[in-house]
Amino acid sequence: MYVLHQRTDKMNRTREGHIVARLLLLLSTLSAIRSYAATTDRYYYYVATDRSDDSGNDGSLLQPFATIERCAEEAGGADGATVCALRGGVYEAQENVIRNAVNLTIEPAFHSNETVVFDGTIELTNPNWSYDAAADAWRADVSSFGNWRPWQLFYSTNDGEDDVFDRVPIGLARWPDAQPWSVESYDREAHMRFVGPGTDQGTSSGVGTIADDPVAATDGGYVGPSLADLGISFQGCVGVLNIGHWKTMASIVTDHAANEGIFNYSNPECGTSCPGTAYNDDGKGRFYFVGCEAALVSTAGRNEWTYTEDFSQILWRPPQEISDPNNVRVRGKNTTWAVVLADSTRVNVRDVTFWGTTMGIWKNSADETVGVDNTVEDCVFEYPVASRRSVREVAETTPDTMTYY
């Protein structure tokens, strides 16, 4: 512990007894300070976005750590409760795994003045958008994503510095068309196709055949061409198949020819989402297609996107008000969990925003006193989860979520 002589006329106290003051000290002394709040027996280690790595940093206010992981490692050696105090800013969420921490709080350093955001996306830089008249959509190169293959996209028209709260989600293209997050996207009658006679559901294998029922679809209120009349092949696309009893699975369309109203699908790893029951012509089955170029070009929906077959490009049909996507920012979700508490005990994460990402709390220890009493308090989760159908991952239809296990 250290003792500081402070000028009381310039001292300002914030919640939890954390002292923030203007101190008349030499910089060499300040750089070595690790904050200790005697009124609450809480140690403070700082983390900031302006550090490229943790080398040479001691977690003080002037030499903060670059990652929460490093902060948690150091905090584990302190006596009493410890705080990883996050300076305001946007942290690129790189799955910070915090193992075996005890009595740790992760929170903003200055609640009233700074906002802390974990951002689970990366920016698409130098996309060189070009208009494809045949598809009525724009194409962009995705090499700037590197080895990442983001599975959800957002755009921002903000001309200045990127503000996460100004971002707008881009919907994944689908046929039959329905605007994402709209009432129509959940309309089983007019915006999905009916499963009909000729269907052979793979009850547990995840392999089968689906036949489109144009008569039932028309009777249900669908307006537009049938699968056969559309004249487009959906082979290689992802079919979202509501064909089991209260079950929906995603599967790859393995065989479909243009002008055919029947297709084969395969997902041997469908697990608990496998249909489980054979086709019985009860009129309840539905399906639609996503995750491929055919799903975009078959409709006129706006603000929808998809990858090309080889994942080398993105196709986007932006909203009407965006005449040239080269003038907007596009970002892609590439991180599921920004923070993971692994076998950690009495850890409190509070007052931070998770944007395009979420967190996990995992318990692997058999010790009943380990990995318990963790809390998430006053946090905001914006677009925390999304399925990976856009990248044609179909092993399970349930997206990665805030996980406890």
Side-chain angles (χ1 to χ4, degrees):
M1 187 176 74
Y2 61 86
V3 178
L4 298 177
H5 297 286
Q6 306 168 71
R7 292 181 55 181
T8 57
D9 61 315
K10 291 189 176 181
M11 186 170 64
N12 173 35
R13 294 182 179 272
T14 61
R15 70 170 100 170
E16 303 290 348
H18 182 198
I19 300 174
V20 181
R22 296 180 181 178
L23 305 172
L24 302 179
L25 298 173
L26 294 174
L27 290 178
S28 60
T29 302
L30 275 172
S31 65
I33 290 176
R34 183 183 70 208
S35 180
Y36 172 74
T39 57
T40 56
D41 291 330
R42 289 156 59 97
Y43 289 86
Y44 284 77
Y45 292 84
Y46 293 88
V47 183
T49 61
D50 61 356
R51 301 289 158 157
S52 58
D53 57 53
D54 288 317
S55 60
N57 301 325
D58 60 10
S60 64
L61 187 58
L62 290 186
Q63 292 184 332
F65 295 128
T67 65
I68 300 174
E69 285 180 309
R70 178 70 183 90
C71 180
E73 289 174 3
E74 189 70 23
D79 296 327
T82 312
V83 176
C84 280
L86 311 180
R87 294 303 310 273
V90 177
Y91 292 78
E92 290 193 358
Q94 307 233 348
E95 194 164 301
N96 294 274
V97 180
I98 299 172
R99 302 183 185 279
N100 305 309
V102 179
N103 295 333
L104 176 67
T105 296
I106 300 171
E107 65 180 3
F110 308 107
H111 292 260
S112 60
N113 298 320
E114 297 182 350
T115 299
V116 173
V117 179
F118 290 114
D119 184 4
T121 71
I122 56 175
E123 186 168 1
L124 175 63
T125 58
N126 302 317
N128 297 317
W129 291 98
S130 61
Y131 182 65
D132 182 335
D136 186 26
W138 292 75
R139 294 179 180 269
D141 174 70
V142 295
S143 59
S144 70
F145 282 156
N147 293 328
W148 294 108
R149 190 172 289 172
W151 57 96
Q152 185 180 20
L153 297 185
F154 305 87
Y155 76 87
S156 172
T157 57
N158 190 334
D159 293 333
E161 185 176 350
D162 178 45
D163 185 341
V164 295
F165 299 105
D166 288 336
R167 297 175 190 167
V168 178
I170 305 174
L172 185 62
R174 57 173 275 183
W175 182 86
D177 188 37
Q179 284 297 304
W181 309 286
S182 67
V183 174
E184 289 77 14
S185 66
Y186 300 97
D187 185 346
R188 286 167 41 86
E189 309 304 305
H191 291 274
M192 297 183 191
R193 295 300 294 176
F194 283 63
V195 173
T199 293
D200 180 14
Q201 297 174 190
T203 56
S204 59
S205 66
V207 178
T209 300
I210 297 292
D212 183 39
D213 190 339
V215 175
T218 301
D219 292 344
Y222 173 80
V223 177
S226 67
L227 177 59
D229 293 339
L230 195 62
I232 295 177
S233 171
F234 286 92
Q235 185 165 317
C237 298
V238 173
V240 181
L241 316 176
N242 179 217
I243 55 178
H245 183 63
W246 294 98
K247 289 184 177 182
T248 297
M249 65 178 286
S251 187
I252 300 297
V253 178
T254 56
D255 184 22
H256 177 241
N259 302 313
E260 291 289 338
I262 191 168
F263 64 90
N264 297 329
Y265 66 88
S266 176
N267 181 5
E269 298 181 86
C270 54
T272 58
S273 64
C274 282
T277 57
Y279 173 71
N280 59 10
D281 197 19
D282 61 4
K284 295 181 179 179
R286 303 289 188 274
F287 71 91
Y288 60 89
F289 297 120
V290 296
C292 59
E293 194 167 339
L296 182 72
V297 301
S298 61
T299 72
R302 311 298 305 190
N303 194 31
E304 296 183 357
W305 76 284
T306 189
Y307 280 108
T308 53
E309 183 177 356
D310 62 359
F311 294 102
S312 66
Q313 291 182 318
I314 282 174
L315 275 79
W316 180 29
R317 187 179 295 126
Q320 292 283 7
E321 61 269 21
I322 297 178
S323 59
D324 185 351
N326 287 292
N327 298 323
V328 303
R329 289 188 175 93
V330 173
R331 299 184 66 91
K333 176 181 174 69
N334 70 325
T335 303
T336 298
W337 300 289
V339 177
V340 173
L341 307 182
D343 283 338
S344 294
T345 307
R346 294 185 297 281
V347 175
N348 181 20
V349 180
R350 68 191 192 108
D351 203 15
V352 299
T353 294
F354 292 80
W355 211 100
T357 186
T358 185
M359 63 172 296
I361 302 177
W362 303 345
K363 176 178 169 61
N364 297 312
S365 173
D367 188 335
E368 294 184 357
T369 66
V370 173
V372 296
D373 298 330
N374 297 298
T375 59
V376 180
E377 179 183 357
D378 295 332
C379 291
V380 176
F381 293 84
E382 297 279 359
Y383 304 100
V385 299
S387 78
R388 298 182 186 235
R389 296 166 184 162
S390 61
V391 292
R392 298 166 214 151
E393 293 183 14
V394 296
E396 284 286 350
T397 58
T398 303
D400 296 320
T401 61
M402 186 170 182
T403 308
Y404 303 86
Y405 57 80

